[in-house]
Amino acid sequence: MAIGPLSWPLLLHSVRRHFSLFFMLFFFLGLPFAAVGVGLLWFEGGDDWGAAFGGAFFALVGIGVMIMALVTSVSSIGYYYERALLREHGTNVDGAVLSVTQYNEPEDGEETLWLLRFRYSCHGQPHEGEAVLPDEEWVSRLGENDWAPLRALKPRPAYAEPRWRKWKNQLQREGRW
């Protein structure tokens, strides 16, 4: 997650955005379930098998929700921290489209996801990257070796993302959108 020195303002902004969701999941859902489960096990678990089973079930669900809240919050904070780093410390580079392929096999009304593979050069070294297309309209507009505006992270140039708005505006100017 962290590259080089940590940017505390960007990290704190990311943490603040996710603290309320973590707080709600952990304290309002996970902790009550775990407390009810432990209470059932403590007070009724030795005498009654039904209460022991219910207490174990509630305790496991509560602990699972608390672990899920912690893991998803840390993952989400890391993702948004990297996005903020890219926005703050990124550099604009030009790339080329390698391919656009279908990423999943949709079932029962699921959305089809398309994977964009691109190559670019940053600091004199070639790199390749991938991104999921925002919607299906992009599939017909992109061809192999088309120009791709990207934003790469200076300290870690292997991390880059397409600049979708700039790309769409360029395609509109060319009459391809």
Side-chain angles (χ1 to χ4, degrees), residues 21-42:
L21 179 63
F22 169 75
F23 186 78
M24 286 188 306
L25 283 175
F26 192 88
F27 291 108
F28 292 135
L29 195 59
L31 202 57
F33 264 80
V36 167
V38 169
L40 279 173
L41 284 173
W42 185 267

Side-chain angles (χ1 to χ4, degrees), residues 56-73:
F57 178 74
F58 267 82
L60 288 176
V61 167
I63 291 169
V65 168
M66 289 189 293
I67 290 172
M68 182 204 62
L70 182 66
V71 169
T72 56
S73 293

Side-chain angles (χ1 to χ4, degrees), residues 92-153:
N92 296 336
V93 295
D94 292 334
V97 175
L98 290 176
S99 65
V100 176
T101 56
Q102 188 171 343
Y103 183 71
N104 66 340
E105 292 295 327
E107 298 175 0
D108 300 329
E110 285 182 345
E111 181 182 3
T112 303
L113 298 176
W114 296 88
L115 185 67
L116 168 72
R117 293 188 63 237
F118 52 87
R119 72 171 171 260
Y120 60 99
S121 178
C122 189
H123 303 305
Q125 296 177 349
H127 298 283
E128 288 189 10
E130 296 177 336
V132 176
L133 292 177
D135 54 41
E136 208 163 320
E137 285 184 69
W138 286 85
V139 177
S140 61
R141 314 270 197 247
L142 303 178
E144 197 170 315
N145 291 325
D146 278 355
W147 172 76
L150 306 169
R151 190 151 180 94
L153 201 51

